[in-house]
Amino acid sequence: TELPAGTGSIVYVVDVSGSMGLDLDSEWLDRLGRAKRELRRSIDSLPAAWRFDVLAYDCDPRAWSGKLQAATDENKRAAGGWVAALTPSGATGTGLAVGTALLEDRTNKLVVLLTDGDPNCHSLTMCGNVPPDVHRADIRAANVQRASINVFGISCPAGSAMERFCVDVASDNGGVFVSVR
């Protein structure tokens, strides 16, 4: 999916919670396998003039770099290797992860979130089992630079609370929601 970006930078945020290890209905890959495949394709397609980073999260985020890096062939390979090694475990702290991505570099105006939705642990302002509406509010509050947050909902059942969360995060932040099966 083509996404507009005026700043030449992007931060990818990928959910690696335990539910991402569940099989997809339509493919032989699990949800995380599908996310990793598409993420690597996107990273490989970045123009050399761009900067990027990748954050993975369960209850806590961890970054490939921690700051935007030039989209050189070497950095793309390094990020791709890091992505390939990701494994699913834990719960889902979407608010904390997306908030961390937004805080990493306030000049970045494009965030891509790959998730199956339904956050259920830490957010920016609360720890423990945090309801989705707090995650959503924390993401809105952290987005002072008004970055576009585009959400790719992986195997979110149509009409479910999982899909609603993904749609709302994209809508709140000037992004698009894409359902991935």
Side-chain angles (χ1 to χ4, degrees):
T1 300
E2 294 277 334
L3 300 173
T7 62
S9 64
I10 186 170
V11 177
Y12 300 97
V13 181
V14 60
D15 180 349
V16 296
S17 65
S19 62
M20 290 293 285
L22 299 175
D23 290 337
L24 286 171
D25 295 333
S26 62
E27 295 194 26
W28 57 270
L29 291 172
D30 61 21
R31 294 172 185 180
L32 183 56
R34 176 71 188 266
K36 288 168 31 172
R37 184 178 72 193
E38 298 305 323
L39 179 54
R40 291 185 72 183
R41 287 175 58 188
S42 182
I43 291 169
D44 288 344
S45 73
L46 291 173
W50 276 56
R51 298 174 306 134
F52 76 103
D53 196 10
V54 184
L55 277 80
Y57 72 97
D58 44 33
C59 276
D60 297 301
R62 50 203 172 278
W64 162 66
S65 170
K67 64 180 185 174
L68 294 173
Q69 296 292 328
T72 64
D73 288 342
E74 181 180 337
N75 284 341
K76 290 177 188 182
R77 276 191 304 276
W82 187 83
V83 166
L86 296 173
T87 57
S89 68
T92 312
T94 309
L96 180 58
V98 175
T100 299
L102 291 165
L103 295 169
E104 180 177 302
D105 188 319
R106 291 293 192 176
T107 65
N108 180 55
K109 299 281 191 171
L110 181 58
V111 173
V112 170
L113 172 62
L114 301 110
T115 183
D116 61 1
D118 206 19
N120 56 9
C121 64
H122 312 320
S123 190
L124 282 172
T125 58
M126 294 176 68
C127 291
N129 191 1
V130 178
D133 61 326
V134 173
H135 286 266
R136 185 176 165 205
D138 284 356
I139 291 167
R140 276 193 316 265
N143 194 3
V144 298
Q145 69 263 45
R146 300 171 96 159
S148 173
I149 301 175
N150 300 281
V151 183
F152 291 78
I154 302 171
S155 199
C156 296
S160 69
M162 295 156 63
E163 182 184 61
R164 182 82 258 144
F165 174 77
C166 293
V167 168
D168 289 345
V169 168
S171 177
D172 289 347
N173 296 282
V176 298
F177 169 74
V178 177
S179 179
V180 179
R181 301 281 174 222

